[in-house]
Amino acid sequence: MNRMSRLALLLLAPLCLLLPIAVSAQAPRPMKQSAVALVEKQRADLIRLSEEIWGFAEVGLEETQSAEVLARYAESKGFTVQRGVAGISTAFVASYGSGRPIIGIMGEFDALPGISQKAVPTREALHAGEAGHGCGHNLFGAASLGAAVAIKEMIAAGTLKGTVRFYGTPAEESVGGKIYMIREGLFKDVDVALAWHPDDKTTVDNLGAQAIVQFMVEFHGRTAHAAADPWNARSASDAAEAFTHGINLLREHVRPTVRMHYTVERAGDVPNVVPDYARVHTWVRDSRRPGVDTVFARVREIARGAALIAGVEQTVTVQTGSSDMIILDRGLKLLHDNLSWIGAPTYTEAEQTFARTLQANTGQLQVGMRAELAPLAPILPDPPGGSTDVGDVSYVVPTLHFYGATAPFGVPWHAWPVVASSGMSIGHKGMMMAANTLAATAVDVFADEALRMALRAEFAEKTKGVTYHWLIPDGPPVVKRD
Ligand SMILES: [Zn+2]
């Protein structure tokens, strides 16, 4: 929806209230128009929040300021905020209302290391070597909270009944904060959870996400002078080499949907000292969790074999792992209807030039912004490459998820072009589209009990016989750095 039609809609909204309520399986349109008006009222605040978080650019578990500005905004709007939940100082839940239904809206706010960038379409670091919002999570958190605030106003006015919660979910890019929040039981009474994600296009999430396990393989050997008495040494770096070689041999014998990647984080310091310690950070993904479990079992054996070859000890430590996504057809239809109703933003010539310059600078076709809604398509049997801890939430509560265009079509993700567009009006427009869609969808879910029951029934059907188990170590999350 462009600015003019939105303006017309806001002017017409009071008239609509006088009209008979349309027969619909979802909430009457005027209620959703009110929700959109309440989001639009916050436009300046949401842009400010997203810009502050963009500027902080804090990585997972260190998003202190980012979490705080969101939590404070929620408090200023009348929410009760529980900070530092699930043993994570930057995780929080903001809640308003009482009783059922309980609708949760998730927001992320962590940045990615090393991709600092100014909000300009050519490569130029804001603070060289530092973090940047290359996944648009500054927009993610602000949009989701804006939608939660709109719903809160409607509960306060007596238009909707129940509880709205904003889940401030940290460290999506590293340990998966949502998984810790699930383990803490924070989602267990939620009727429906909503989330979106920034993207280079607008579509409901019929794609899903890959299941993943992230683990550290460590080798401990015995050091010695590499020239004087190497026969006394047992090289941890030899074991790391054998391990990565083993993985690369395995690569031919896994299903095409499997992804395995690693970085050798430590393997000695200087050539004349045989390293007694090596560490390989390894990730394994597949379309579904059982596929990951099968490959992970083989990779564990490879680590054992590599240690035998080099005569060293080995340990494999799971750090985290997220689930694939349970997608609900009824949820896709609902999101698609609302995205279609809200409509794609329109862009100025300056914004299109910004987009085309980013595309030119990254070797992409210069097609500008592609924010129009993709047609509703069936759920894919195998997701494209990528994982998210929203997948875990989708295993414990019916979860609705979509993508909103916040960056030019085709530009590399987790990279500087996304940092650039997340810090300017292209990102802001996508954020507002997402906030409006979340708010409209939440109104439907609040107001229509039959819809909630349909979502829950499909969720029950799709999780029948499946026991969800989290893949995180005991205790609070720790990121290994040295
Ligand atoms: Zn992301």
Side-chain angles (χ1 to χ4, degrees):
M1 186 161 38
N2 62 34
R3 266 186 76 207
M4 281 314 289
S5 57
R6 184 169 287 132
L7 186 64
L9 189 150
L10 294 179
L11 293 172
L12 288 171
L15 293 175
C16 297
L17 291 169
L18 303 174
L19 298 173
I21 288 171
V23 178
S24 161
Q26 293 161 21
R29 182 63 59 85
M31 284 171 74
K32 296 208 278 193
Q33 285 165 337
S34 306
V36 167
L38 288 163
V39 170
E40 288 296 329
K41 233 174 93 177
Q42 303 172 75
R43 179 178 280 265
D45 285 336
L46 300 183
I47 289 173
R48 177 183 50 78
L49 283 170
S50 81
E51 286 189 327
E52 282 177 6
I53 297 168
W54 186 88
F56 298 145
E58 297 164 299
V59 297
L61 303 181
E62 296 173 10
E63 322 96 318
T64 318
Q65 299 174 89
S66 310
E68 189 52 29
V69 292
L70 292 173
R72 250 191 242 150
Y73 183 71
E75 275 172 343
S76 77
K77 297 292 179 185
F79 282 75
T80 304
V81 178
Q82 255 187 298
R83 289 173 170 79
V85 296
I88 305 175
S89 64
T90 51
F92 67 97
V93 180
S95 185
Y96 183 85
S98 61
R100 302 205 86 92
I102 303 171
I103 309 300
I105 306 178
M106 295 180 267
E108 298 172 4
F109 37 82
D110 57 327
L112 286 152
I115 53 169
S116 173
Q117 165 68 25
K118 292 182 181 170
V120 297
T122 45
R123 180 81 177 104
E124 201 181 329
L126 180 63
H127 303 293
E130 296 197 0
H133 272 286
C135 206
H137 292 183
N138 62 310
L139 307 167
F140 188 164
S144 295
L145 181 53
V149 168
I151 297 300
K152 176 258 150 180
E153 301 294 353
M154 295 179 78
I155 295 174
T159 318
L160 298 175
K161 285 193 178 7
T163 306
V164 61
R165 284 192 200 140
F166 173 78
Y167 286 83
T169 64
E172 189 275 336
E173 302 288 4
S174 54
V175 299
K178 294 178 198 72
I179 310 171
Y180 288 84
M181 295 169 88
I182 290 168
R183 186 177 70 182
E184 197 75 8
L186 297 173
F187 283 94
K188 69 173 188 286
D189 56 352
V190 171
D191 288 287
V192 176
L194 307 179
W196 74 291
H197 198 287
D199 205 85
D200 66 348
K201 53 196 167 306
T202 303
T203 177
V204 296
D205 184 2
N206 63 315
L207 314 164
Q210 290 178 304
I212 183 172
V213 58
Q214 304 174 210
F215 52 98
M216 204 64 87
V217 180
E218 291 171 283
F219 297 104
H220 291 271
R222 197 164 70 220
T223 187
H225 192 295
D229 64 336
W231 46 86
N232 283 326
R234 296 291 177 268
S235 168
S237 131
D238 286 354
E241 253 184 82
F243 173 69
T244 57
H245 183 55
I247 285 197
N248 290 321
L249 293 176
L250 176 64
R251 209 177 286 286
E252 190 183 351
H253 308 287
V254 294
R255 291 183 184 277
T257 47
V258 170
R259 299 285 184 277
M260 298 184 285
H261 19 262
Y262 57 80
T263 52
V264 178
E265 289 193 345
R266 295 287 306 276
D269 299 311
V270 286
N272 61 352
V273 177
V274 176
D276 61 358
Y277 178 69
R279 185 167 91 210
V280 187
H281 194 181
T282 314
W283 294 9
V284 172
R285 313 187 203 226
D286 198 359
S287 301
R288 307 277 167 254
R289 176 63 71 75
V292 171
D293 292 345
T294 304
V295 176
F296 183 39
R298 295 191 70 183
V299 171
R300 276 182 185 275
E301 289 297 281
I302 290 171
R304 221 160 61 87
L308 278 174
I309 288 169
V312 303
E313 300 296 321
Q314 56 90 28
T315 57
V316 175
T317 312
V318 172
Q319 297 205 305
T320 188
S322 52
S323 298
D324 49 280
M325 188 96 75
I326 300 226
I327 304 174
L328 306 176
D329 280 305
R330 187 68 193 83
L332 292 187
K333 166 114 185 35
L334 178 66
L335 289 170
H336 193 269
D337 285 352
N338 283 321
L339 276 166
S340 167
W341 176 60
I342 296 296
T346 52
Y347 298 98
T348 63
E349 200 38 51
E351 286 164 341
Q352 290 290 13
T353 302
F354 185 101
R356 284 192 292 267
T357 309
L358 269 180
Q359 285 158 337
N361 285 338
T362 51
Q364 301 297 317
L365 285 176
Q366 294 172 50
V367 294
M369 288 302 297
R370 286 273 174 88
E372 64 280 6
L373 178 61
L376 186 57
I379 297 169
L380 287 187
D382 291 306
S387 307
T388 168
D389 56 7
V390 174
D392 289 69
V393 178
S394 80
Y395 267 82
V396 295
V397 47
T399 300
L400 313 186
H401 188 241
F402 66 94
Y403 294 98
T406 61
F409 185 75
V411 298
W413 213 258
H414 278 198
W416 68 268
V418 177
V419 187
S421 33
S422 300
M424 49 80 72
S425 57
I426 287 174
H428 301 154
K429 286 184 174 178
M431 171 184 77
M432 292 307 294
M433 171 179 63
N436 284 326
T437 304
L438 287 168
T441 307
V443 168
D444 282 328
V445 176
F446 264 100
D448 187 344
E449 195 185 352
L451 170 65
R452 289 199 302 278
M453 284 171 63
L455 290 168
R456 287 214 74 89
E458 189 180 346
F459 173 77
E461 174 65 31
K462 289 187 166 166
T463 52
K464 202 153 88 187
V466 177
T467 309
Y468 166 74
H469 58 101
W470 49 76
L471 259 189
I472 46 173
D474 292 341
V478 180
V479 174
K480 200 158 192 168
R481 291 201 185 95
D482 61 12

